[in-house]
Amino acid sequence: MDTLSEAYKGIPLNLGDIIPLDFSSPPPTLPDSHAWFQPSDDDCSFDDPASSMPIIDFLDPKATELIGLACEKWGAFQLKNHGIPLDVIQGTEEEVKRLFSLPTEQKLKALRSPGGASGYGRARISPFFPKSMWHEGFTIIGSSARDVKKIWPDDYARFCDRMENYEKEMKVLAERLTEMLFDMLKIPEEKRKWVVTSDISEVLQLNFFPSCPEPDRAMGLAPHTDTSILTIVQSPSTGLQLFKEGKGWINVHPHPNSLIVHLGDLLHIISNGRFCSPLHRVTLNETRKRYSIAYFYTPPVDYVLSPSLSGDNSPVALFRDVTVKEYHEIRAQKFGNSLSLVRI
Ligand SMILES: C=C1C[C@]23C[C@@]1(O)CC[C@H]2[C@@]12CCC[C@@](C)(C(=O)O1)[C@H]2[C@@H]3C(=O)O
Ligand SMILES: O=C(O)CCC(=O)C(=O)O
Ligand SMILES: [Fe+2]
């Protein structure tokens, strides 16, 4: 199943917006194409323990209540005791490192096509920014076999099995969280049948952020919200920042053995703005490489997102009805403006 790709077919990218910089022989100084800030720029970020995203224990009897509060206030939280076996997490991490440490010409064999959605390349949002990100990505939609066979024709099975297994585990967790949030939003039965079908549009995004000669002037992943119901991110290292109105960019310090959960724009619409999709970005480090694995949980592409007006949600619809496919198309064309384009 590759139906998400259909949303992108009509809006092809230029090869220049897909091919990453060759990070296997990076320039000793930051090229102008990747310089987002001047040395004198004051791009403030915060390390304030009083305003950091909550860490929630999934085994806590109050977990549901705490998750609800975190989603209203932050649109994000860290989750410990999430139930994903450590060997599954470590095995996936190992494959991600193996993939990104390949020579560039190997990775380019699986380059995303201009009208395609899966494979190796820059972040999809790249064309919306005047500068390039210090980042390589690999997007998996459905099976990774077609792309990975181009890289490792005789040795692709272990990578594919581990990714598939990881996605299975993530799906179970995403379903539990979504059911929990849909209960809070009082989403009726007929609007949530998709949660237990196999027909969802899940995406696994593998991210690599090489060490950078001038990290304060460059950008790992530019500020964005996610196109998902929720995104579950695994990364043991710092670098992720969340934007909080009135405060600025707040550093996220990953708690050991925890996963980070962000809400996406699709849930922002369904919750009629009660749960927010946080703006986030990724910063860099001069000596340390960073990897992350993001699982995007999304309804089938023909699902109609309509704001829920019951419970504590605003009784007046703030967004028009829109299908998942249409929202992806709006994002691919307009990016940052997308939520306001479906606002009534
Ligand atoms: C489901 C998806 C979310 C994503 C676009 C995509 O179709 C597949 C890639 C995803 C990703 C990963 C890196 C950051 C991001 C903003 C991007 O450029 O590609 C997200 C997209 C998104 O959330 O819109
Ligand atoms: O690397 C991270 O921590 C976040 C990645 C991310 O935001 C994404 O893939 O959408
Ligand atoms: Fe993201």
Side-chain angles (χ1 to χ4, degrees):
M1 193 207 36
D2 208 8
T3 41
L4 242 191
S5 317
E6 282 163 27
Y8 297 127
K9 266 189 197 143
I11 312 146
L13 299 176
N14 300 318
L15 275 179
D17 289 319
I18 304 174
I19 302 174
L21 185 72
D22 182 356
F23 291 107
S24 58
S25 47
T29 54
L30 194 70
D32 184 55
S33 54
H34 288 70
W36 289 61
F37 306 106
Q38 292 307 313
S40 55
D41 286 349
D42 187 13
D43 178 52
C44 256
S45 53
F46 287 86
D47 244 341
D48 173 9
S51 57
S52 56
M53 80 159 75
I55 301 171
I56 299 172
D57 184 342
F58 216 14
L59 299 177
D60 184 334
K62 285 198 183 138
T64 305
E65 189 189 327
L66 295 172
I67 288 175
L69 290 171
C71 291
E72 282 175 350
K73 190 166 173 214
W74 285 87
F77 53 93
Q78 294 197 48
L79 191 65
K80 53 181 189 178
N81 287 318
H82 42 68
I84 313 291
L86 193 60
D87 62 323
V88 173
I89 294 192
Q90 285 171 341
T92 311
E93 224 172 64
E94 218 175 277
E95 294 306 318
V96 172
K97 289 182 182 168
R98 186 159 78 100
L99 175 77
F100 286 118
S101 45
L102 288 171
T104 306
E105 66 270 19
Q106 287 286 100
K107 292 182 274 194
L108 286 174
K109 289 182 181 167
L111 188 70
R112 229 170 49 224
S113 68
S118 68
Y120 172 72
R122 293 187 191 210
R124 176 154 289 281
I125 53 174
S126 298
F128 296 98
F129 295 92
K131 297 288 177 170
S132 302
M133 298 171 218
W134 201 259
H135 165 263
E136 289 175 60
F138 192 92
T139 310
I140 300 174
I141 302 182
S143 167
S144 58
R146 203 184 50 219
D147 289 315
V148 178
K149 271 182 187 170
K150 296 179 197 159
I151 299 179
W152 291 302
D154 307 314
D155 176 27
Y156 61 91
R158 191 177 80 191
F159 181 96
C160 297
D161 291 349
R162 284 180 162 176
M163 295 302 143
E164 203 177 298
N165 206 10
Y166 187 77
E167 280 195 306
K168 268 190 203 139
E169 295 282 350
M170 286 290 142
K171 184 169 184 259
V172 173
L173 177 59
E175 274 171 13
R176 279 183 71 190
L177 291 167
T178 303
E179 293 280 16
M180 203 179 243
L181 297 171
F182 277 15
D183 285 346
M184 287 177 216
L185 296 170
K186 301 198 163 48
I187 305 291
E189 203 48 47
E190 71 272 13
K191 291 293 286 181
R192 55 203 280 174
K193 281 193 201 118
W194 65 269
V195 178
V196 288
T197 65
S198 56
D199 208 17
I200 56 155
S201 323
E202 57 195 344
V203 173
L204 199 60
Q205 170 75 15
L206 316 179
N207 293 309
F208 175 46
F209 305 94
S211 52
C212 177
E214 290 181 77
D216 295 341
R217 296 184 60 213
M219 183 66 76
L221 256 187
H224 67 279
T225 55
D226 287 352
T227 314
S228 62
I229 290 288
L230 51 87
T231 309
I232 305 174
V233 182
Q234 175 206 334
S235 180
S237 8
T238 52
L240 176 65
Q241 296 184 327
L242 240 70
F243 188 76
K244 195 92 175 94
E245 213 53 69
K247 297 244 180 222
W249 289 104
I250 301 195
N251 294 318
V252 176
H253 294 281
H255 191 273
N257 300 324
S258 293
L259 294 167
I260 294 164
V261 181
H262 305 146
L263 307 186
D265 285 0
L266 309 186
L267 193 65
H268 186 95
I269 296 171
I270 295 177
S271 71
N272 204 21
R274 176 172 157 197
F275 295 151
C276 56
S277 48
L279 192 65
H280 53 283
R281 69 179 187 182
V282 178
T283 59
L284 300 153
N285 188 283
E286 196 173 346
T287 51
R288 188 177 37 79
K289 307 169 178 168
R290 180 177 184 274
Y291 303 87
S292 72
I293 306 168
Y295 173 85
F296 293 79
Y297 185 67
T298 308
V301 281
D302 57 355
Y303 179 77
V304 180
L305 305 158
S306 32
S308 159
L309 308 179
S310 19
D312 293 340
N313 318 342
S314 162
V316 180
L318 302 177
F319 301 95
R320 70 172 170 86
D321 286 5
V322 57
T323 63
V324 171
K325 181 165 185 265
E326 194 191 343
Y327 192 73
H328 269 286
E329 284 163 351
I330 295 173
R331 274 276 294 211
Q333 270 165 328
K334 307 282 181 201
F335 177 52
N337 250 346
S338 308
L339 270 182
S340 55
L341 288 174
V342 293
R343 238 188 129 96
I344 294 174

